[in-house]
Amino acid sequence: MHLTLEFGGGLELLCESVKIHNVNVDLPKGADKLSMRDLLAWVRTNLIKERPEMFMKGESVRPGVLVLVNDCDWELSGQLDTTLEEKDLVVFISTLHGG
Amino acid sequence: MACNSSTCNSSGCYKGYEEEEQPKPNTKAAVNGGNSCQNLCVKCKVNEPVCCGIGGENSRFCKDCFKNNLYGKFKQAVTYNAMITPPDKVLVAFSGGPSSRVVLQFVHEMQYKAQKNYDANKDKSLPVFGVGVAFIDESSTHSFTSLHIEKAIEDIRLIVSNLAPPSKELFVVPIESIFSSDGIDGKERLKELLDAVSDVTGKEDLLIRLRILLLQKIASENGYTRIVLGTCTSRIACHVISATVKGQGYSLSADIQYVDSRWEIPVVLPLRDCPAQELNTLCSLDGLKIVELLNGPCSGINGLVSSFVKVLQELILHRKGNSVSSCWTFKRRKSFSRVHNSKNSWEAHSISLQQGSGNP
């Protein structure tokens, strides 16, 4: 599944300072849908090159990281259970750095 | 220069944050009309929500109501505390981050409206307040490449020039100019000063202090009467805890007021009631460009406290079924003498979260 992932607020430093990633994520075996839970695990394995604890805590994102799926807060679409579709845009923003 | 497009997200667009504007009904919501209130914006009850404020289920807003809600908090803080009055010249401290980007945008919106009213008014009795922007270049204390910092400054110039009319003067000032106008000497002296502090937290706090002193210097030398900071609720929360653990309780009360009049040029915090999460969401939804110069995570007390506050916020937010109102309240102790401009019982309402039936 082709997705666009964006990292902001300092999270890009964990992905070799690349803010926008166009990725192709395989569905997990036996599943017909891709959930945010699956995507996060994929991101940790494939995109996060250092200090994974700054991005994730357990199977979810670290507190202070905002997640927007197609400009919509993931809290509204079920958080980890949000299902993703082809060409979706997922934005991760760390709010730990002030402004 | 007003844009009629409802989807325009350019930072120079003046579609504005109209406080009384009714959002246009979304077709999808209209079709689902009687379906359920749970899937509608809590404010207009017409559009589908796209963002969550920190109040969890009770603060699901559509994009327009979310923007208006934030702008409303800003406007209220400015009005109730007389932060900006017509004869003022305000200097907005712009770091490039999301909070200061939002405060810059909101101050610009306010100035633009005041200018429109002035132009439409025959007697021209109330002048429009002036706005300047200050960016402190701290590259001498970090390891950014010169290309990185030059690009950042270029981006900032573009952001500020797009926020016109009314036009705003931009000051790009290196941090070492706190010492002298001679760049070389200043850099050496700054390095010497920072090297004298051995711990990370101490260095960070010293830099914060130098920043505000430099802002005072810029404001004073250029005739500004107010300094506007983008300090948000979350930052205040962190400051309350970190100041307490550092034994800075005496000054804490005055540190977290809407208006800090201890300085020659008063420092105002119009985003004091806005959480960082909402400001970040606004930047993302509204396409407000931010310029990030980050040096990696903070490893001292300040960074630790920031993480702690986030964890606490998440824990409280996701605790289901409880009516939780979380405010940290510190009662005034007798040993504290009167602090300039402090209230009688000072409270750090760093995070005020509500869940359940939406009681205040």
Side-chain angles (χ1 to χ4, degrees):
Chain A
M1 185 180 292
H2 294 92
L3 302 167
T4 306
L5 309 180
E6 283 186 21
F7 295 86
L11 289 176
E12 66 273 23
L13 295 171
L14 309 177
C15 318
E16 297 172 322
S17 299
V18 177
K19 282 195 172 186
I20 303 178
H21 298 254
N22 291 304
V23 300
N24 195 1
V25 182
D26 294 325
L27 266 62
K29 280 190 189 137
D32 57 349
K33 287 184 183 172
L34 185 73
S35 69
M36 276 301 298
R37 188 179 278 106
D38 304 323
L39 178 66
L40 287 180
W42 186 92
V43 168
R44 175 163 47 192
T45 311
N46 295 284
L47 290 185
I48 305 295
K49 303 297 178 195
E50 56 179 293
R51 293 173 288 158
E53 70 280 3
M54 299 294 290
F55 178 66
M56 285 184 70
K57 188 180 172 193
E59 58 172 9
S60 184
V61 290
R62 184 191 168 172
V65 175
L66 200 60
V67 182
L68 299 171
V69 180
N70 299 328
D71 280 349
C72 181
D73 196 325
W74 77 332
E75 298 270 346
L76 297 168
S77 51
Q79 257 212 339
L80 286 168
D81 297 321
T82 307
T83 46
L84 297 164
E85 290 169 17
E86 191 71 36
K87 297 199 186 148
D88 273 353
L89 168 68
V90 183
V91 180
F92 300 99
I93 306 172
S94 170
T95 59
L96 287 175
H97 286 276
Chain B
M1 305 216 182
C3 172
N4 286 323
S5 163
S6 61
T7 55
C8 177
N9 276 333
S10 131
S11 64
C13 176
Y14 307 118
K15 63 183 190 295
Y17 302 108
E18 296 297 336
E19 288 136 53
E20 303 304 324
E21 188 185 89
Q22 290 301 313
K24 299 179 183 50
N26 178 294
T27 313
K28 206 169 170 187
V31 164
N32 288 338
N35 197 2
S36 80
C37 294
Q38 287 164 358
N39 283 332
L40 297 176
C41 166
V42 299
K43 182 96 196 288
C44 63
K45 299 195 185 358
V46 171
N47 294 330
E48 279 188 11
V50 297
C51 16
C52 256
I54 60 162
E57 286 188 14
N58 289 330
S59 57
R60 298 177 164 215
F61 294 108
C62 68
K63 187 175 166 182
D64 285 336
C65 291
F66 179 75
K67 278 158 47 175
N68 290 337
N69 180 261
L70 265 181
Y71 185 75
K73 288 188 208 176
F74 160 85
K75 197 70 206 294
Q76 190 168 48
V78 168
T79 310
Y80 283 14
N81 297 281
M83 287 182 183
I84 301 173
T85 60
D88 281 323
K89 260 183 88 177
V90 306
L91 184 69
V92 178
F94 183 50
S95 66
S99 306
S100 53
R101 181 66 186 88
V102 173
V103 84
L104 179 58
Q105 185 72 26
F106 283 177
V107 167
H108 162 70
E109 285 291 328
M110 218 181 113
Q111 189 194 31
Y112 178 74
K113 276 185 202 160
Q115 185 69 55
K116 271 202 328 191
N117 289 340
Y118 178 81
D119 292 339
N121 209 333
K122 279 185 191 165
D123 63 11
K124 313 278 187 211
S125 53
L126 288 177
V128 180
F129 62 94
V131 177
V133 184
F135 170 72
I136 298 180
D137 173 2
E138 295 182 36
S139 50
S140 58
T141 62
H142 293 305
S143 51
F144 305 126
T145 63
S146 58
L147 200 67
H148 197 173
I149 191 76
E150 275 163 25
K151 169 91 178 36
I153 292 174
E154 218 23 71
D155 288 343
I156 288 171
R157 284 198 200 282
L158 194 62
I159 290 171
V160 175
S161 65
N162 280 341
L163 290 174
S167 63
K168 294 151 184 58
E169 194 173 2
L170 171 64
F171 301 92
V172 177
V173 186
I175 184 89
E176 55 268 22
S177 59
I178 188 75
F179 289 111
S180 63
S181 44
D182 179 337
I184 298 165
D185 186 40
K187 272 187 192 162
E188 279 306 311
R189 289 177 69 182
L190 179 64
K191 188 175 183 309
E192 212 179 295
L193 180 66
L194 289 174
D195 287 345
V197 181
S198 54
D199 69 296
V200 171
T201 306
K203 278 198 223 281
E204 282 172 13
D205 289 351
L206 179 55
L207 272 171
I208 291 169
R209 185 76 181 179
L210 292 176
R211 254 178 238 149
I212 194 72
L213 285 171
L214 185 52
L215 286 169
Q216 288 287 323
K217 188 179 173 196
I218 300 167
S220 169
E221 286 174 358
N222 293 279
Y224 285 90
T225 55
R226 294 281 189 275
I227 293 174
V228 175
L229 298 184
T231 309
C232 61
T233 300
S234 315
R235 188 73 84 117
I236 302 254
C238 295
H239 182 72
V240 168
I241 296 178
S242 55
T244 305
V245 306
K246 294 170 193 168
Q248 294 170 357
Y250 187 81
S251 62
L252 177 53
S253 167
D255 290 342
I256 60 174
Q257 299 299 319
Y258 285 99
V259 180
D260 186 351
S261 297
R262 294 171 296 176
W263 302 96
E264 189 194 323
I265 316 285
V267 177
V268 302
L269 277 42
L271 294 186
R272 188 180 177 268
D273 299 320
C274 303
Q277 179 192 330
E278 292 183 5
L279 298 173
N280 271 281
T281 303
L282 181 65
C283 286
S284 188
L285 289 183
D286 226 26
L288 298 180
K289 184 156 165 61
I290 56 180
V291 179
E292 295 179 302
L293 285 164
L294 301 162
N295 209 35
C298 305
S299 54
I301 292 175
N302 301 324
L304 196 63
V305 167
S306 183
S307 303
F308 168 70
V309 165
K310 294 293 176 195
V311 169
L312 194 63
Q313 194 175 342
E314 297 271 326
L315 281 175
I316 293 173
L317 188 67
H318 291 124
R319 188 185 302 166
K320 308 240 181 273
N322 290 343
S323 206
V324 175
S325 170
S326 164
C327 311
W328 289 303
T329 307
F330 298 89
K331 293 215 175 95
R332 188 185 182 206
R333 292 192 294 194
K334 284 183 186 162
S335 58
F336 285 76
S337 56
R338 260 176 297 130
V339 179
H340 195 57
N341 255 3
S342 70
K343 299 175 190 169
N344 264 341
S345 80
W346 40 270
E347 56 183 62
H349 69 274
S350 317
I351 295 174
S352 156
L353 300 173
Q354 299 157 33
Q355 251 188 330
S357 54
N359 21 317

